Amino acid sequence: MEVIVCATAEEGSDLAAKEVLGALSRKPDLVLGLATGSTPLGLYRRMIDAHRRVEADFSKVFTFNLDEYLGLPPGHPQSYRAFMDQHLFRHINIPPDHIHFPPTHGRDVPAQCEEFERDMRRVGGIDIQILGIGADGHIGFNEPTSSLGSRTRVKTLMEETLRDNARFFNDGTRQPDMAVTMGIGTILESKRILLLAFGTTKVRAIQSTIEGPISNMYPASALQLHPRVTMIVDEQAAAGLAMREYYKRVYRNKLSLEGSVMP
Ligand code: GLP
């Protein structure tokens, strides 16, 4: 696992944006896996800014979002679809039929989940998957005890996750306690994964993900099995890492090998 400890969330978002925009310039039909939550907002702002500066064209890009609540009416302001429209899609030029979400309506959701994964394969699979992380170590909505080989499916949310997200449902809407999420097996098939974590609430999850054993009790720890994961964390989220100074030295060495800075 590559671990990059940044001074601030802003610096972390800069790095993530550099990765995504660099990949887009090399592959205009980039397939992006996208996450909701406050963590990737800095990255999305930078993607929007690049588009406004006419430096980034998303017209051939495909996107697949990680998860969506089950039981919210379509277009509900607290749906993840509405979140993505507000914070990214309406500001850039991804064609609407290139945007994919896990299915949450209609008949036979499990069959639609298989179709969602088929759509992913049809465009060549996810090139870069963006991830945040829940305080309990979940990725997408793969809560503790999720199978590490799981595929897109319905999950019941943990109490801690419901509490963390309750603030979004103080408008009287009943907070859904189920969601449809890409599985851990689905996520592990992405060619490249960028996990972002900022702030003190992520200390335990980040320590377990990077330095703990692979365990379904910390679903993100399954990322240790993936050959191209970069964890972009700020100093606050990195506070529990025993080998923090080592990761910094590894990263400095990588930059010096690339000729960016002198060793
Ligand atoms: C939700 C989402 C996750 C996200 C997590 C953290 O549970 N399903 O994909 O990573 O929230 O959110 P935040 O970035 O706001 O801390």
Side-chain angles (χ1 to χ4, degrees):
M1 253 185 191
E2 180 178 44
V3 181
I4 304 179
V5 182
C6 299
T8 62
E10 292 303 306
E11 208 180 280
S13 301
D14 282 342
L15 265 182
K18 202 171 149 210
E19 283 278 342
V20 170
L21 296 170
L24 176 63
S25 66
R26 292 187 294 277
K27 183 175 187 284
D29 57 347
L30 196 67
V31 183
L32 285 173
L34 297 176
T36 49
S38 50
T39 309
L41 288 179
L43 163 64
Y44 297 159
R45 273 195 299 274
R46 285 156 176 79
M47 290 165 67
I48 294 167
D49 288 346
H51 179 65
R52 289 195 176 135
R53 290 195 306 267
V54 203
E55 290 166 12
D57 173 19
F58 294 90
S59 63
K60 295 191 170 69
V61 166
F62 291 88
T63 65
F64 290 84
N65 260 79
L66 275 170
D67 46 13
E68 180 59 284
Y69 285 115
L70 197 67
L72 288 182
H76 188 279
Q78 294 312 332
S79 68
Y80 280 169
R81 173 65 206 233
F83 178 96
M84 291 303 302
D85 283 342
Q86 183 187 346
H87 294 290
L88 184 65
F89 296 147
R90 78 159 69 122
H91 308 285
I92 60 178
N93 63 335
I94 303 178
D97 62 335
H98 286 202
I99 294 171
H100 300 81
F101 273 76
T104 52
H105 291 91
R107 285 167 165 256
D108 204 348
V109 168
Q112 293 185 61
C113 287
E114 284 176 24
E115 184 60 30
F116 174 75
E117 297 223 354
R118 268 198 298 277
D119 286 344
M120 223 177 263
R121 286 193 289 273
R122 208 170 287 138
V123 295
I126 290 177
D127 293 305
I128 303 182
Q129 175 67 58
I130 306 299
L131 294 176
I133 189 167
D136 64 5
H138 71 236
I139 44 177
F141 268 136
N142 292 286
E143 296 283 34
T145 73
S146 287
S147 158
L148 302 187
S150 50
R151 313 299 310 184
T152 304
R153 72 213 181 290
V154 175
K155 279 300 287 183
T156 294
L157 306 180
M158 301 266 294
E159 288 297 330
E160 186 174 6
T161 304
L162 292 172
R163 263 198 312 275
D164 284 351
N165 293 323
R167 65 185 188 281
F168 298 116
F169 293 93
N170 49 17
D171 62 350
T173 313
R174 196 186 67 81
Q175 183 181 8
D177 80 334
M178 286 186 282
V180 180
T181 179
M182 280 187 206
I184 297 174
T186 320
I187 292 170
L188 288 176
E189 281 173 9
S190 314
K191 290 165 202 148
R192 174 119 173 72
I193 297 177
L194 296 182
L195 186 146
L196 313 180
F198 307 132
T200 52
T201 56
K202 304 295 167 78
V203 170
R204 178 176 52 115
I206 285 302
Q207 197 280 331
S208 309
T209 297
I210 297 173
E211 296 179 342
I214 295 177
S215 160
N216 64 358
M217 291 308 288
Y218 279 96
S221 63
L223 299 176
Q224 293 175 23
L225 294 167
H226 192 284
R228 294 194 67 217
V229 176
T230 301
M231 309 282 296
I232 299 179
V233 298
D234 68 358
E235 287 281 0
Q236 290 184 331
L241 292 172
M243 292 169 59
R244 195 166 67 238
E245 295 312 313
Y246 174 70
Y247 307 135
K248 289 183 184 173
R249 194 153 56 79
V250 171
Y251 186 55
R252 276 199 303 274
N253 281 347
K254 178 187 168 187
L255 292 180
S256 79
L257 286 174
E258 288 171 359
S260 305
V261 292
M262 293 299 285

